């Protein structure tokens, strides 16, 4: 699917596009690796699972489809869909308990290996922090390395919106997070890995982008990245060269 929340600039070939060999080398000597979560680290899309669980799966899927064809901003599309879902805190907790996010095969081994090599790992997602934190804890990723959208609830647990101040609530948010990480930690080489156009858009400021098609292949991402993998085993293999 084409993601409308991506600037036209990012859909043209970057002027300094890295070659396959350069991308592989940047990955091997990365200071940090940032992973998208939905359809990358986990098999599913969090917002679709939440909508389905709250009984509005079809309606939200249709809203996503309509948004794809228009000039809707990422924030507006997120606001509209969440207003339809209107999940309570209890529903979100029950979703995580009854239908925990399914890790993509090989991700646990890859994250463990990156940690062994002292490469910092971050989860950068347009999804929801409550779900992404659950994923992070399964992968031994510190919670301060999680960047995602925060759902807000009233005292009685009813849905109260989401935190619009988070960079991930905006178009281009993943790139903003990477710029912030470079500044905060002094990282020179940061690699972004993901399945979607918003992940591709984060390079630059990411030093390199690796497209992931292990759960879903998005043609516009596959065509525009120099390294596209369909399993995390391919990345593990590359780390063996270190």
């Amino acid at each position: 699917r084409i993601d409308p929340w991506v600037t036209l600039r990012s859909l043209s070939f970057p002027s300094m596009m890295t070659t396959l060999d350069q991308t592989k080398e940047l990955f091997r000597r990365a200071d940090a690796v940032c992973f998208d979560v939905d359809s990358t680290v986990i098999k599913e899309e969090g917002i679709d699972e939440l909508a389905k669980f709250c009984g509005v799966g079809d309606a939200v899927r249709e809203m996503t489809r309509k948004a794809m064809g228009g000039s809707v901003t990422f924030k507006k599309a997120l606001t509209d869909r969440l207003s339809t879902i209107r999940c309570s805190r209890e529903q979100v907790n029950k979703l995580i308990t009854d239908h925990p996010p399914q890790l993509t095969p090989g991700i646990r081994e890859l994250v463990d290996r990156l940690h062994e090599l002292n490469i910092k790992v971050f989860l950068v997602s347009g999804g929801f922090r409550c779900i992404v934190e659950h994923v992070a804890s399964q992968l031994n990723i510190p919670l301060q390395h999680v960047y995602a959208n925060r759902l807000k609830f009233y005292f009685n647990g009813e849905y109260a919106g989401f935190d619009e101040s988070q960079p991930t609530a905006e178009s281009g948010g993943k790139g903003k997070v990477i710029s912030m990480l470079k500044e905060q930690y002094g990282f020179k080489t940061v690699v972004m890995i993901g399945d979607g156009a918003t992940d591709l858009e984060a390079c630059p400021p990411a030093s390199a982008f690796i497209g992931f098609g292990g759960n879903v292949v998005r043609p516009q991402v596959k065509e525009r990245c120099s390294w596209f993998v369909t399993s995390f085993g391919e990345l593990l293999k590359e780390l063996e060269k270190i």
Side-chain angles (χ1 to χ4, degrees):
R1 64 182 170 88
I2 291 180
D3 194 328
W5 307 299
V6 174
T7 58
L8 287 173
R9 173 193 61 76
S10 69
L11 288 180
S12 58
F13 281 90
S15 54
M16 293 177 68
M17 189 168 177
T18 54
T19 64
L20 175 60
D21 286 345
Q22 285 170 330
T23 303
K24 287 183 172 185
E25 190 189 336
L26 287 164
F27 176 60
R28 289 194 306 270
R29 60 180 177 85
D31 300 311
V33 174
C34 295
F35 287 93
D36 169 49
V37 177
D38 293 335
S39 296
T40 299
V41 169
I42 62 173
K43 293 179 181 180
E44 58 272 277
E45 289 283 329
I47 196 161
D48 290 348
E49 293 303 306
L50 190 55
K52 211 190 301 177
F53 190 75
C54 295
V56 288
D58 291 344
V60 167
R61 231 187 342 267
E62 180 61 15
M63 288 169 84
T64 301
R65 194 188 63 76
K66 280 188 177 159
M68 292 297 161
S71 53
V72 185
T73 64
F74 181 80
K75 187 181 275 186
K76 171 87 168 71
L78 186 58
T79 305
D80 291 350
R81 287 180 293 171
L82 281 172
S83 298
T84 299
I85 298 170
R86 301 200 70 78
C87 52
S88 67
R89 193 199 306 271
E90 191 185 347
Q91 283 174 312
V92 174
N93 290 341
K94 196 162 165 40
L95 170 70
I96 294 168
T97 307
D98 294 359
H99 303 280
Q102 299 297 300
L103 291 178
T104 301
I107 187 63
R108 199 186 293 274
E109 293 80 0
L110 177 58
V111 170
D112 285 349
R113 185 68 188 123
L114 289 167
H115 282 154
E116 282 169 15
L117 293 166
N118 204 26
I119 297 169
K120 304 288 180 257
V121 178
F122 294 83
L123 299 180
V124 184
S125 171
F128 309 121
R129 191 175 180 94
C130 45
I131 296 172
V132 178
E133 282 188 346
H134 178 80
V135 174
S137 59
Q138 286 184 284
L139 296 171
N140 297 315
I141 294 169
L143 296 188
Q144 65 267 31
H145 286 197
V146 170
Y147 292 85
N149 291 314
R150 290 178 186 272
L151 294 173
K152 296 198 292 193
F153 302 99
Y154 292 112
F155 286 117
N156 64 359
E158 283 179 12
Y159 175 70
F162 66 97
D163 182 355
E164 297 188 22
S165 70
Q166 295 296 315
T168 47
E170 302 273 3
S171 297
K174 291 179 182 181
K176 285 178 194 155
V177 169
I178 289 172
S179 293
M180 209 163 64
L181 294 177
K182 283 176 139 181
E183 204 174 308
Q184 192 179 333
Y185 295 94
F187 296 144
K188 293 274 185 289
T189 306
V190 179
V191 175
M192 179 76 207
I193 300 173
D195 67 286
T198 54
D199 307 313
L200 174 70
E201 184 198 27
C203 178
S207 319
F209 169 73
I210 300 167
F212 182 74
N215 293 307
V216 59
V217 174
R218 309 205 192 276
Q220 84 277 18
V221 173
K222 188 178 182 179
E223 286 159 19
R224 289 176 174 84
C225 63
S226 50
W227 194 13
F228 187 83
V229 301
T230 53
S231 83
F232 288 125
E234 293 171 69
L235 301 183
L236 262 173
K237 208 170 174 181
E238 195 57 37
L239 293 176
E240 286 171 13
K241 298 177 184 175
I242 294 176

